[in-house]
Amino acid sequence: VQAKLPILRWLPRYSLAWLQLDVMAGLTVGLTVVPQALAYAEVAGLPLQYGLYSSFMGCFVYCFLGTAKDVTLGPTAIMSLLVSSYAFHEPVYAILLTFLSGCIQLAMGLLHLGFLLDFISCPVIKGFTSAASITISFNQVKNILGLQGIPRQFFLQVYETLRRIGETRAGDAVLGLACLAALAGLRVMKSHLPQAACTEPLAARLSYLIVWTSATARNALVVLFAGLVAYSFQVMGSQPLTLTGSIPQGLPPFQLPHFSMAAPNGTIPFQSMVEDMGVGLAVVPLMGLLETVAIAKAFASQNDYRIDPNQELLAMGFANILGSFVSSYPITGSFGRTAVNAQSGVCTPAGGLITGTLVLLSLAYLTSLFYYIPKAALAAVIISAVVPMFDAGIFRRLWKVKRLDLVPLCVTFLLCFWEVQYGIVAGVLVSGILLLYSIARPPIKVSEGDVLLVLPGSSLHFPAIECLRDTVCSRALAASPPRSIILDCCHISSIDYTVVVGLTELLQELHKQGLPLAFCSLQEPVLQVLLSADLEGFQHFPSREEA
């Protein structure tokens, strides 16, 4: 039971000391998630309240089903970008995408399909996140400059922004740049803040706590400051800033997602909505899990606990399914908020209960105050959050380690500017082709001496048997004088039927030329397969020396 319900692992040992730290961490993360949620809804192309609707259910579900104490589920920049691509800025599509993604993740978890993540290589992930960082950042430039009517497609967006830069609203630009500078300064301050020792005076420890809290909750502080500035202008009767506007107050209704949508020319049925979302039904669940598992593993390695991808799939699946009942768009783990959670000293996933409760209170009582939040301030929050996702050093590292990995990286990076789904799919395909090529053309070392020693450098699978046959035959027939051939199988751990057929044909071909072929260093599973195949002329020796 503990394996499927991780809360039972830590709840019996829960203590008052843990509660104090979890409450502090939950409040700190809550101050971060509220402004980010509003900002990420803008990235997703949805009304801002949907960011808050997406920010509490994941916190509650992960408390019961999550395996990592630090991870917080909610809207993220990457997931918001994907939602903008596949939900077409329609809340009904976004909520249905959440439900279907949750069902797919739940099914994958029950079928133990978490290993599928292993086929998404690091260069593909880095290419996608780096392109997303640029795309999302530039998408917010229009709000920093106060421009209206800018298209969302990246290349058109760049063209229109540059063409209309003369229409920049001075108030929005000044406030946006000031918020960016403040966020950057607070981030640097936090990274250089020395730890206050317990032996230091009370005043020093209080100063450290104030500075640390201010730097950690910098998003909330900047948005609060910008809101006060906007309210001051409103009271004075002039408003040079573009405001967020009215946000519906109250909690979202608890209801099933709509499986059809009303349109001006009729009703869009469920089947058409699924066809419209297309490959998004595969990309969104996988990328959601990928973000969560990558974040969980990063923090698990620092805290010495193990992450089960299949259990994370179950947690994500339930979180998205239940989230769709409260009008959430797809959610995943957030690296920034998880880092805040860990640095705040969270002890268990119960910290998420506090964060979720704070979001609910904001929805119930504070939405009227969100009217005065300038769009430029929310844009600054988004840009500050996504800029660190761009990893410029990955190009240099891959050049030094393996230059061929630059191919899927660059393919993914460039195509993601056109359409996100094309970049991810193309990157995975290129990585798969490179992987299959290495399987089909394994390194084969041939040494000439008294005998011709052939050593495959990796395991032998059916695409590689023709390459092996061609190499052995060409070298054996070219050798002068003719000599015996030994196939050293020390690196071969398994073979399939196609390989057995290919080895049979190789033995027959060499026998016609009067050249004997012997096998050595066969591992037990391979030996048993070859013996059961009853190959004509099959000889084997335990080691190369005995051969």
Side-chain angles (χ1 to χ4, degrees):
V1 177
Q2 287 187 356
K4 297 301 180 186
L5 203 60
I7 189 175
L8 298 178
R9 299 175 192 169
W10 53 263
L11 188 59
R13 300 180 288 114
Y14 204 74
S15 65
L16 182 61
W18 285 6
L19 176 62
Q20 293 172 341
L21 289 169
D22 284 345
V23 169
M24 176 61 69
L27 290 173
T28 306
V29 174
L31 292 173
T32 303
V33 72
V34 170
Q36 279 193 344
L38 297 170
Y40 289 150
E42 161 72 21
V43 176
L46 300 173
L48 298 193
Q49 66 268 23
Y50 285 91
L52 294 173
Y53 295 166
S54 307
S55 300
F56 61 88
M57 186 60 77
C59 298
F60 298 143
V61 172
Y62 199 83
C63 176
F64 293 91
L65 298 176
T67 55
K69 68 181 181 65
D70 304 296
V71 168
T72 62
L73 298 185
T76 66
I78 294 293
M79 193 54 65
S80 300
L81 179 65
L82 293 175
V83 169
S84 73
S85 299
Y86 298 119
F88 317 108
H89 311 156
E90 288 287 349
V92 175
Y93 269 91
I95 296 166
L96 182 60
L97 179 61
T98 306
F99 178 78
L100 296 177
S101 296
C103 291
I104 292 169
Q105 289 168 334
L106 187 61
M108 289 175 65
L110 293 172
L111 296 173
H112 292 268
L113 297 180
F115 71 91
L116 292 176
L117 288 180
D118 298 337
F119 290 95
I120 304 178
S121 65
C122 184
V124 173
I125 298 168
K126 288 292 186 181
F128 166 61
T129 53
S130 295
S133 172
I134 296 173
T135 303
I136 295 170
S137 296
F138 204 88
N139 184 45
Q140 296 306 309
V141 170
K142 66 179 186 292
N143 290 327
I144 294 283
L145 301 179
L147 301 178
Q148 305 289 331
I150 300 294
R152 297 185 72 89
Q153 207 283 331
F154 179 74
F155 296 109
L156 292 175
Q157 197 174 86
V158 173
Y159 171 76
E160 280 295 312
T161 301
L162 295 177
R163 186 178 71 85
R164 295 174 52 191
I165 200 166
E167 302 173 20
T168 298
R169 290 168 58 105
D172 286 322
V174 170
L175 180 70
L177 293 174
C179 289
L180 277 174
L183 289 167
L186 288 169
R187 180 190 292 273
V188 172
M189 183 189 299
K190 183 178 179 182
S191 63
H192 290 82
L193 187 64
Q195 182 69 45
C198 297
T199 55
E200 292 190 17
L202 179 61
R205 282 181 285 156
L206 283 175
S207 300
Y208 169 83
L209 182 62
I210 292 170
V211 174
W212 182 88
T213 303
S214 301
T216 302
R218 56 185 176 273
N219 291 332
L221 283 179
V222 166
V223 168
L224 177 62
F225 168 77
L228 290 174
V229 170
Y231 180 75
S232 301
F233 280 117
Q234 193 84 359
V235 169
M236 290 188 295
S238 65
Q239 187 55 267
L241 305 172
T242 306
L243 303 183
T244 295
S246 299
I247 296 177
Q249 187 166 344
L251 304 181
F254 191 85
Q255 61 186 12
L256 277 170
H258 296 290
F259 293 95
S260 62
M261 189 179 81
N265 55 350
T267 300
I268 302 175
F270 175 72
Q271 182 179 352
S272 297
M273 295 178 73
V274 170
E275 290 173 356
D276 290 341
M277 288 185 276
V279 72
L281 292 174
V283 172
V284 169
L286 277 177
M287 291 307 297
L289 175 64
L290 187 64
E291 270 201 277
T292 301
V293 171
I295 291 166
K297 284 184 175 179
F299 286 89
S301 62
Q302 300 172 17
N303 295 280
D304 195 26
Y305 56 83
R306 184 177 170 275
I307 297 301
D308 179 4
N310 294 308
Q311 181 60 39
E312 293 298 301
L313 270 168
L314 294 176
M316 292 277 298
F318 276 113
N320 276 313
I321 290 172
L322 293 176
S324 69
F325 292 1
V326 292
S327 304
S328 166
Y329 69 80
I331 60 173
T332 182
S334 163
F335 190 89
R337 295 194 296 274
T338 297
V340 169
N341 210 20
Q343 292 163 4
S344 302
V346 72
C347 296
T348 69
L353 298 178
I354 308 300
T355 301
T357 302
L358 194 61
V359 175
L360 289 175
L361 291 173
S362 299
L363 274 168
Y365 301 111
L366 299 180
T367 49
S368 59
L369 300 180
F370 296 157
Y371 176 91
Y372 296 102
I373 298 176
K375 285 190 173 184
L378 293 180
V381 169
I382 295 172
I383 293 172
S384 175
V386 300
V387 164
M389 287 165 36
F390 183 78
D391 186 0
I394 188 65
F395 296 92
R396 184 177 64 255
R397 291 196 298 273
L398 289 182
W399 181 264
K400 292 180 179 178
V401 176
K402 189 177 181 182
R403 294 177 185 178
L404 199 59
D405 281 341
L406 284 168
V407 177
L409 173 75
C410 293
V411 167
T412 307
F413 180 75
L414 294 175
L415 285 181
C416 277
F417 290 117
W418 179 24
E419 289 288 349
V420 172
Q421 61 269 34
Y422 297 153
I424 296 171
V425 171
V428 171
L429 286 176
V430 170
S431 292
I433 291 169
L434 295 177
L435 174 64
L436 291 174
Y437 184 82
S438 67
I439 293 173
R441 295 294 180 267
I444 300 174
K445 181 181 179 182
V446 181
S447 304
E448 295 190 19
D450 295 335
V451 296
L452 202 65
L453 181 65
V454 180
L455 176 64
S458 62
S459 201
L460 199 59
H461 301 282
F462 69 89
I465 188 61
E466 286 301 320
C467 176
L468 178 66
R469 281 181 59 190
D470 292 343
T471 301
V472 171
C473 289
S474 61
R475 295 297 295 268
L477 296 176
S480 180
R483 63 200 74 182
S484 301
I485 302 130
I486 295 177
L487 183 61
D488 190 339
C489 302
C490 62
H491 297 305
I492 300 174
S493 58
S494 65
I495 57 175
D496 52 51
Y497 179 72
T498 306
V499 172
V500 172
V501 172
L503 293 175
T504 303
E505 294 173 353
L506 178 61
L507 281 167
Q508 293 171 351
E509 193 171 343
L510 292 174
H511 180 69
K512 290 176 184 177
Q513 303 294 330
L515 299 172
L517 171 65
F519 297 78
C520 73
S521 305
L522 286 167
Q523 298 184 30
E524 187 63 26
V526 179
L527 177 60
Q528 292 302 320
V529 171
L530 293 176
L531 289 174
S532 63
D534 195 22
L535 302 182
E536 184 180 349
F538 173 65
Q539 304 176 66
H540 72 94
F541 302 93
S543 65
R544 188 188 304 177
E545 289 74 16
E546 295 183 39

